Amino acid sequence: MKKNLVLIGMMGSGKSTIGRILAKNSKKKFYDIDKVIEKENGMKISEIFKKKGENFFREIEEKFSIQILKSYGNIIALGGGAYLNDKIRSEIKINSISVWLKWSANLLIPRILNSKTRPLVYKLSEKDLMKLIDTRSKVYSKADYKINCDKLNKNEILKKILDIYNK
Ligand code: S3P
């Protein structure tokens, strides 16, 4: 059976946008884990962080990510922090191909700095964000594939992902 295609990477790297287009073009199902969590909890991610805290969010993120990763042949966008979870990474290994959408920090930071919908970065300075990108990149680099997106347009990114998935 066909594996899932899992998009990973920092907030603002385009996982949801690219994933949605990929799914539409290939007539596959698309799961945006953040959206699944919001729907199941009847709250926006920022509200979950505020009312229940990050630990609670990470627990349900683990639960829903693993549940959905057990499916086949779907396109899945993980939340930016999900790939840091060992159990989620192990689940991806079983049945999915992971692709890291990599952007340089100088392109990523202006996109996400002060974002009100992203509770994790809301209070971070540019320097903190730089550190976060640096630490996370070491883990993201464990993905099966990496796409350097800096110089690519959306269609070029889509093509690269499809080439990987249809290999
Ligand atoms: C997070 C990224 C967000 C969301 C939550 C935490 C993170 O998802 O899961 O705010 O830890 O990087 P996106 O990467 O889709 O913005």
Side-chain angles (χ1 to χ4, degrees):
M1 256 194 283
K2 186 93 172 153
K3 292 187 170 190
N4 297 309
L5 177 84
V6 177
L7 299 176
I8 69 152
M10 275 297 288
M11 295 163 264
S13 59
K15 303 178 296 277
S16 303
T17 312
I18 298 276
R20 197 172 305 114
I21 303 174
L22 274 175
K24 198 169 167 219
N25 291 353
S26 54
K27 298 199 169 51
K28 290 187 174 295
K29 254 196 176 163
F30 175 54
Y31 290 99
D32 186 335
I33 304 286
D34 281 346
K35 290 276 171 290
V36 173
I37 293 173
E38 289 184 340
K39 208 169 154 209
E40 289 288 330
N41 283 269
M43 276 190 265
K44 292 274 170 208
I45 301 286
S46 53
E47 232 182 313
I48 299 176
F49 265 72
K50 205 156 82 189
K51 292 197 177 142
K52 307 223 170 172
E54 182 174 351
N55 287 347
F56 174 81
F57 172 77
R58 294 301 172 197
E59 275 169 32
I60 52 176
E61 176 177 60
E62 179 181 301
K63 178 179 143 200
F64 288 113
S65 302
I66 290 180
Q67 191 176 307
I68 290 166
L69 284 163
K70 288 189 188 298
S71 64
Y72 287 88
N74 296 314
I75 313 282
I76 301 168
L78 286 185
Y83 196 71
L84 277 83
N85 177 316
D86 296 353
K87 289 190 195 147
I88 296 178
R89 276 207 313 283
S90 304
E91 192 64 42
I92 293 175
K93 281 257 167 292
I94 300 174
N95 193 24
S96 304
I97 297 169
S98 51
V99 179
W100 172 24
L101 301 181
K102 182 177 191 292
W103 295 87
S104 299
N106 61 325
L107 293 180
L108 213 45
I109 289 174
R111 259 189 247 166
I112 54 177
L113 201 65
N114 301 325
S115 162
K116 296 234 168 18
T117 57
R118 297 193 161 102
L120 203 74
V121 293
Y122 186 48
K123 291 193 184 108
L124 295 184
S125 67
E126 214 171 313
K127 208 171 144 205
D128 294 332
L129 250 183
M130 193 79 104
K131 255 193 239 156
L132 184 74
I133 294 172
D134 210 46
T135 346
R136 285 191 170 183
S137 295
K138 294 192 178 77
V139 186
Y140 292 152
S141 67
K142 296 181 181 187
D144 297 320
Y145 297 91
K146 166 179 88 176
I147 297 179
N148 285 311
C149 297
D150 285 4
K151 297 193 176 108
L152 303 178
N153 64 35
K154 204 184 285 171
N155 286 335
E156 289 167 329
I157 298 174
L158 285 165
K159 184 173 181 313
K160 280 201 186 281
I161 298 176
L162 281 176
D163 286 348
I164 290 169
Y165 194 38
N166 296 325
K167 229 183 340 206

